[in-house]
Amino acid sequence: MAAPDISGVRAFLLGLQMRITDAIAAIDGQSFIADHWQKEPGEPLQGNGITKILEGGAVFERAGCGFSHVSGPKLPPSATQHRPELAGAPFEAMGVSLVFHPRNPYVPTVHMNVRMIAATPAGGGAPVCWFGGGMDLTPYYGFEDDVVHFHKTCRDALQPFGEDKYPRFKKWCDEYFYLKHRDEPRGVGGIFFDDFHELGPQRSFDMMQAVGDAFLKAYLPIVDMRRETTYGERERAFQLYRRGRYVEFNLVWDRGTHFGLQSGGRTESILMSMPPLASWAYQARVEPGTPEDRLYREFLVRRDWA
């Protein structure tokens, strides 16, 4: 599949990053720090990006939203496991990725990513490109209204691109954001897609844009609803314990983390998804009938939410 206009994709992604970080800063009352970076000559990857980070805010303990646009001499293994014909191919990749870790345990953590990769087969031939992305929600305390709203917003964003897209991408999300070593989901899911090009270059790009544009509509009403909820040491301790699962997934299973590290990406930007604090406890158990127990029984299970 031929690549769409690279400058158009880049402009959309930079605008998306700005819109999202401006909205989050307005809610938090603290501005993001913008770190403009450029890869040095001789490094495996060449390119540039902007990492925006907010730490120690009133609403968000850590919120990172990064844009990157890089090129490299050969695709790393994490990007070619479904495309063996592109092993060793030179590539260009750009995207926006974010993870927001709220301070209040009643506000869920959220992740969103949209990206494009273009590669030229090592043996020659026309460039091919594909898109990926999605968003998913990780609550510490479950509220059905929140999860239904998040999933309905995802469903509505995808509806113009085919009735099959939401159920297909929801299933993909459920399967992808799963801690196999724990036999449990990371959260309540959302949508996830990768290696996507079936609608052609422009329409596939349009779908990626629709997902990115839906993020604030999916997440901000939940933040507004839960940010003032009273909590204590018990809820904070459970939040930190569940954040440990987030760390485990990102380091052990996440293809995006692996892609960045394997290709020589910028480590500080790649690991901005990590929470500022997390904890682990040996064989921790929750008491039956508690809100913590309800999270496992009613929310960390595969359900049809929309």
Side-chain angles (χ1 to χ4, degrees):
M1 177 181 99
D5 176 49
I6 296 295
S7 63
V9 179
R10 179 183 172 98
F12 167 75
L13 292 170
L14 284 168
L16 179 66
Q17 182 192 36
M18 180 173 293
R19 282 186 281 131
I20 290 173
T21 54
D22 284 352
I24 294 299
I27 288 174
D28 191 273
Q30 180 172 312
S31 298
F32 282 75
I33 295 171
D35 181 13
H36 296 253
W37 54 266
Q38 179 87 33
K39 300 296 288 184
E40 295 294 331
E43 292 192 39
L45 286 183
Q46 291 296 296
N48 56 73
I50 307 170
T51 298
K52 293 190 175 183
I53 192 84
L54 185 161
E55 294 181 299
V59 178
F60 293 95
E61 198 168 3
R62 192 175 202 222
C65 183
F67 163 79
S68 65
H69 182 185
V70 298
S71 60
K74 62 179 183 178
L75 281 166
S78 58
T80 58
Q81 54 183 293
H82 302 302
R83 295 173 174 272
E85 74 279 7
L86 292 177
F91 72 95
E92 187 170 5
M94 67 179 80
V96 165
S97 182
L98 66 83
V99 176
F100 297 158
H101 293 287
R103 186 175 295 281
N104 191 315
Y106 287 101
V107 181
T109 286
V110 71
H111 159 258
M112 191 277 289
N113 173 271
V114 283
R115 60 192 177 276
M116 185 200 81
I117 300 178
T120 303
V128 295
C129 90
W130 60 97
F131 295 88
M135 63 181 97
D136 63 287
L137 197 68
T138 304
Y140 306 99
Y141 291 89
F143 296 93
E144 188 149 336
D145 289 349
D146 295 355
V147 184
V148 169
H149 165 78
F150 189 84
H151 275 267
K152 282 185 175 180
T153 306
C154 291
R155 180 199 64 191
D156 293 347
L158 292 171
Q159 195 278 332
F161 304 94
E163 296 290 342
D164 66 311
K165 299 302 183 296
Y166 169 73
R168 183 173 142 201
F169 295 168
K170 179 205 179 292
K171 182 176 184 290
W172 202 343
C173 186
D174 288 340
E175 293 171 350
Y176 182 81
F177 292 104
Y178 194 83
L179 287 81
K180 298 179 180 69
H181 63 291
R182 296 283 192 182
D183 193 24
E184 68 181 44
R186 186 172 82 171
V188 295
I191 53 173
F192 175 84
F193 62 99
D194 202 5
D195 297 324
F196 188 87
H197 56 88
E198 65 195 58
L199 297 179
Q202 185 58 49
R203 197 66 175 149
S204 297
F205 175 37
D206 291 344
M207 191 188 78
M208 185 199 79
Q209 291 180 83
V211 170
D213 288 340
F215 171 74
L216 290 174
K217 291 179 284 186
Y219 186 57
L220 290 193
I222 300 172
V223 177
D224 287 338
M225 180 70 71
R226 309 297 170 194
R227 57 185 287 192
E228 301 294 343
T229 304
T230 301
Y231 68 93
E233 292 182 5
R234 168 180 168 162
E235 290 86 355
R236 176 62 167 170
F238 187 64
Q239 178 195 48
L240 296 183
Y241 173 69
R242 290 299 307 170
R243 279 183 181 177
R245 297 293 204 268
Y246 214 90
V247 171
E248 291 177 22
F249 178 86
N250 281 15
L251 294 180
V252 176
W253 299 108
D254 187 58
R255 282 179 63 190
T257 302
H258 296 169
F259 176 91
L261 296 176
Q262 290 173 1
S263 62
R266 190 170 183 266
T267 303
E268 282 293 308
S269 298
I270 295 164
L271 297 182
M272 73 175 183
S273 63
M274 296 299 159
L277 296 170
S279 68
W280 283 261
Y282 184 72
Q283 293 189 339
R285 298 287 186 269
V286 295
E287 295 182 22
T290 62
E292 294 82 7
D293 176 56
R294 183 168 177 258
L295 177 76
Y296 287 99
R297 287 187 295 102
E298 299 183 22
F299 291 88
L300 298 185
V301 292
R302 294 186 186 180
R303 290 174 55 179
D304 293 327
W305 294 103

